[in-house]
Amino acid sequence: MGKRLLVAYGLWALGGPLGLHHLYLGRDSHALLWMLTLGGFGAGWLGDLWHLPGWVAAANGAGPPGQRVGSVPALSALRLVGQVAVGTYFGLAAALALPWVPQLLAQPLAVGLGVLLVSSVGDQASEAPSIFAAAFLASLLFQGRVLAVLPSSLAASIAAQRRRRYKRPGAPRPRLPARLYHLGLAYLAFAAPLAYGVLSGAAGVLGPPLRWLGALPALPRAVAERLLLLPLRAGRILAKLLGFVSPEPSGWSERRQRAYKVLGIPPGAAPEDVHRSYRELVKLWHPDHNRHRAEEAERRFIELQEAYEVLAGPRRAAGG
């Protein structure tokens, strides 16, 4: 059945940021991209308005796609920018949602998937091995740090542009239930790690400004805290990435992580939680109270002092 331009415009207006008009026109990769980026961060959805007539004509079989077989698509600056932007977005999402996964694995994999998704939009495609190889090599040069997402995205996007090609025409299209099932699985693969990151490690990160959350049960409180912190953490990572905030040296960051572990509190805990945990553990491990295990108590006592200096020292200096 032929596609109607009026229906496409209606779906664009009602559910454009979710890619409903692309789903209607059989552009599943574009629909998934819009689902994961809310319409290409808004700007892509607005730009779709001018492309709808051509997409509807293509969906109805207008034009001889067979003439494109063997040719190379023209270089598109807009597609290149989109690949870099989405690759960076996917890489930052992996850094936020999967902090326990080695960044040398999670970030380039996420970046490559983002670039590959943009490369498959419309009638074009690219070679996945080249994209992932470029992303992993660039990330390796930066030792998997958050800063690596931008050069990894750029390297993967360049590789995708060098290997760009047209999709083979005539491939049978699955029925709508199968397409929705595949889109749902792909969306779940992106959203599940983010949801898991929301549900893990959120307790105690907001501190005094959100003490009202203490009245909530544990699970909803953790979800609320993580959701409220996510934009702040993303903004901080972007600020560091763009050079507006000087990132901490890797050694200092490792010391802070170890200090949080020694004090038994989650990373980013409020100053009050740092003080409270320190006071409790100092009383527990004070050498005068542990004469039967003096060596262990002295070692733990020194570790607690050093951890407290790492976490509270800068704040006390600033306050002084």
Side-chain angles (χ1 to χ4, degrees):
M1 185 174 63
K3 305 299 181 182
R4 297 181 179 274
L5 182 59
L6 184 60
V7 175
Y9 276 124
L11 292 174
W12 175 88
L14 295 176
L18 297 179
L20 293 185
H21 54 299
H22 291 300
L23 184 64
Y24 170 69
L25 297 175
R27 301 168 57 88
D28 291 354
S29 296
H30 214 156
L32 177 62
L33 178 62
W34 261 216
M35 290 167 59
L36 299 180
T37 62
L38 287 181
F41 313 108
W45 166 60
L46 294 175
D48 285 352
L49 185 63
W50 286 269
H51 296 285
L52 279 176
W55 288 338
V56 171
N60 289 327
Q67 293 181 358
R68 292 181 170 182
V69 177
S71 61
V72 178
L75 181 64
S76 172
L78 181 60
R79 187 180 290 261
L80 178 62
V81 171
Q83 289 168 337
V84 174
V86 175
T88 303
Y89 166 62
F90 274 41
L92 289 173
L96 292 173
L98 303 172
W100 54 90
V101 179
Q103 296 303 319
L104 281 174
L105 174 63
Q107 287 188 17
L109 181 60
V111 166
L113 288 173
V115 173
L116 184 64
L117 178 58
V118 179
S119 302
S120 64
V121 165
D123 58 355
Q124 295 188 26
S126 189
E127 295 182 3
S130 300
I131 293 175
F132 287 111
F136 273 95
L137 286 176
S139 180
L140 188 62
L141 292 176
F142 288 83
Q143 300 180 357
R145 299 176 182 175
V146 174
L147 185 65
V149 295
L150 185 55
S152 296
S153 299
L154 184 58
S157 300
I158 293 175
Q161 288 291 330
R162 288 172 60 88
R163 299 290 183 175
R164 66 189 184 279
R165 54 179 172 80
Y166 285 112
K167 295 177 181 177
R168 293 186 177 181
R173 181 178 301 171
R175 299 178 67 86
L176 181 60
R179 292 167 56 204
L180 293 176
Y181 174 72
H182 294 154
L183 285 174
L185 287 181
Y187 184 83
L188 184 63
F190 180 86
L194 287 177
Y196 187 80
V198 167
L199 297 175
S200 64
V205 291
L206 287 181
L210 294 177
R211 290 300 182 190
W212 57 271
L213 289 174
L216 296 176
L219 183 59
R221 182 171 66 251
V223 173
E225 289 175 346
R226 191 71 174 189
L227 286 174
L228 289 170
L229 268 189
L230 192 59
L232 298 178
R233 295 177 64 189
R236 183 171 182 176
I237 287 180
L238 281 173
K240 289 181 179 180
L241 187 64
L242 296 175
F244 296 114
V245 178
S246 299
E248 294 177 343
S250 59
W252 178 250
S253 179
E254 292 173 2
R255 288 182 62 195
R256 291 179 64 87
Q257 294 293 330
R258 184 175 182 276
Y260 283 119
K261 185 176 181 181
V262 169
L263 293 177
I265 52 179
E272 289 77 8
D273 295 330
V274 174
H275 296 314
R276 181 172 59 254
S277 178
Y278 169 73
R279 288 195 300 267
E280 294 174 355
L281 291 174
V282 161
K283 293 178 182 178
L284 178 63
W285 288 103
H286 198 284
D288 292 343
H289 303 156
N290 295 274
R291 299 185 184 276
H292 58 290
R293 45 179 179 176
E295 293 185 2
E296 181 183 4
E298 184 177 358
R299 177 178 59 83
R300 294 295 298 272
F301 190 79
I302 293 175
E303 289 180 350
L304 291 170
Q305 294 283 355
E306 293 176 348
Y308 183 72
E309 285 298 324
V310 169
L311 297 179
R315 298 189 183 96
R316 291 190 299 175

